[in-house]
Amino acid sequence: MQTAKTLKPLPWLLFGSRWLQLPLYFGLIVAQCVYVVQFMRELWHLVAEVGKFDETMIMLTVLGLIDVVMISNLLIMVTIGGYETFVSRLHLEGHPDEPEWLSHVNANVLKVKLATAIIGISSIHLLKTFINAQNLDEKTMFWQVTIHITFLVSAIAIAAIDRIMLPYPLAAHAPRE
């Protein structure tokens, strides 16, 4: 087995280039901070204006908060899963806070998880659209439903392709105990 010291220059450069993704993951952490600020602003707005809001407005604001949380979860999955898959191991084995999914993450699992998260986010947007339907035109609602269905079909296709490409039985994808 070759170590980093015994690699020839070109393989060393190619393999080492994975570290160029590090600033991208730091950027996602900054984006996560922006979402925390956005969440706090929306929460403060909800608490400060609760007496002025009707039930629909409260529901729309809470759905907005859930949307921010789901996008934030997506950022965490991409940051941690992407770093672990494409850059370097985090060595969290045995840590009480290690995410369950991290033990069996790979590029395909990450794609399926991301597609599922995007469907969840799209579902929240669609629910907000239906709650606020009286204020929207049919064309807007049609396109939002069409986009959501496209996300669903894409996620199903990604999951199906992942399953077709499995070189071994599904039991091999079970998380490590």
Side-chain angles (χ1 to χ4, degrees):
M1 178 150 92
Q2 287 187 326
T3 63
K5 293 178 183 176
T6 62
L7 286 177
K8 292 184 179 181
L10 183 58
W12 180 85
L13 177 66
L14 292 173
F15 185 63
S17 70
R18 72 192 191 282
W19 289 99
L20 291 173
Q21 290 191 10
L22 193 58
L24 304 177
Y25 293 120
F26 281 135
L28 290 179
I29 292 168
V30 171
Q32 178 87 3
C33 293
V34 170
Y35 269 101
V36 169
V37 170
Q38 176 66 22
F39 182 90
M40 297 311 290
R41 284 182 40 216
E42 289 293 321
L43 183 61
W44 176 254
H45 183 241
L46 174 65
V47 171
E49 303 291 325
V50 70
K52 299 176 186 174
F53 285 172
D54 63 5
E55 184 179 349
T56 301
M57 220 25 227
I58 292 170
M59 198 176 339
L60 288 170
T61 304
V62 169
L63 286 173
L65 292 172
I66 292 169
D67 190 39
V68 170
V69 169
M70 291 181 76
I71 292 171
S72 185
N73 291 342
L74 180 63
L75 286 169
I76 291 290
M77 271 195 297
V78 172
T79 303
I80 294 173
Y83 182 88
E84 173 89 8
T85 301
F86 300 110
V87 180
S88 185
R89 297 284 174 227
L90 292 169
H91 302 291
L92 297 176
E93 297 83 10
H95 191 283
D97 294 330
E98 177 189 7
E100 177 273 332
W101 54 268
L102 192 58
S103 64
H104 57 277
V105 72
N106 62 39
N108 289 337
V109 169
L110 195 55
K111 280 188 263 182
V112 172
K113 286 194 174 299
L114 292 175
T116 304
I118 289 169
I119 290 169
I121 293 165
S122 176
S123 296
I124 295 296
H125 278 273
L126 203 53
L127 183 56
K128 286 169 66 175
T129 296
F130 291 152
I131 290 170
N132 199 25
Q134 71 274 8
N135 298 326
L136 299 172
D137 61 82
E138 288 182 25
K139 186 177 179 181
T140 300
M141 293 191 330
F142 169 81
W143 281 110
Q144 287 187 3
V145 169
T146 301
I147 290 168
H148 182 73
I149 291 170
T150 302
F151 287 149
L152 283 170
V153 170
S154 297
I156 291 168
I158 289 168
I161 290 168
D162 184 45
R163 189 173 182 121
I164 290 168
M165 293 178 62
L166 282 178
Y168 40 85
L170 283 177
H173 274 295
R176 291 179 249 155
E177 294 296 325

